[in-house]
Amino acid sequence: MLHSHNLFQHILLDPHSRNADELHIISGYATSMMARRHFASCNGLRISLIVGMCPRDGLSMSNHRGFVGLANQMGGDFNCLYNTGIATHSKLYVWYSNGRPVEAYAGSANYTQQAFIQHVQNEIICDCMHVAPEMLTLLFRVKPDMDKWIMISD
């Protein structure tokens, strides 16, 4: 299925209402305000985020401070990695329930309020459960070349 409207609801809230409890995200760009808004809308949520375009465009100090603040506030419920290797522009969202992948989406929407809330440009996201969990699992669990990642933690 292809999604182009109400992305915040369809991609970031509805899976949680269907008992998914953890979301793994790879996004070229991401903002701490998007993560804060997401946490405020979902109780009992865990998020692991990779910000992929840091090697090319960096990350604003305000977003860095926001991510560190979230890691401190949320403890183990929020993990964030900054890519420092080859820039990654992908946008992939994989939802898990009790450690098992249950829904997956890929598309053009970065993990930002501009993409999910403000709709400043057209975005599309499609279901991709058949391929996404394996790709994301490799990035999150294997993490080759750990010297190419910066982990934000409490």
Side-chain angles (χ1 to χ4, degrees), residues 46-115:
R46 288 186 312 277
I47 296 174
S48 293
L49 170 65
I50 291 176
V51 184
M53 291 299 289
C54 295
R56 192 178 97 189
D57 296 323
L59 184 75
S60 71
M61 186 55 72
S62 62
N63 275 312
H64 170 69
R65 287 183 181 131
F67 287 137
V68 170
L70 267 175
N72 288 330
Q73 177 185 352
M74 303 306 295
D77 289 339
F78 179 71
N79 296 300
C80 184
L81 291 168
Y82 301 156
N83 176 19
T84 62
I86 297 172
T88 300
H89 198 254
S90 304
K91 291 90 173 176
L92 185 60
Y93 302 84
V94 181
W95 281 96
Y96 292 78
S97 179
N98 298 315
R100 292 185 30 213
V102 292
E103 295 185 38
Y105 304 94
S108 62
N110 284 300
Y111 191 62
T112 65
Q113 290 189 103
Q114 285 188 332

Side-chain angles (χ1 to χ4, degrees), residues 13-58:
L13 300 182
D14 288 350
H16 186 65
S17 70
R18 291 189 287 270
N19 296 319
D21 54 6
E22 185 170 357
L23 176 60
H24 290 190
I25 303 166
I26 297 173
S27 183
Y29 302 95
T31 62
S32 58
M33 290 306 297
M34 181 69 238
R36 284 197 181 282
R37 184 177 197 136
H38 198 180
F39 275 116
S41 301
C42 294
N43 292 323
L45 175 64
R46 288 186 312 277
I47 296 174
S48 293
L49 170 65
I50 291 176
V51 184
M53 291 299 289
C54 295
R56 192 178 97 189
D57 296 323

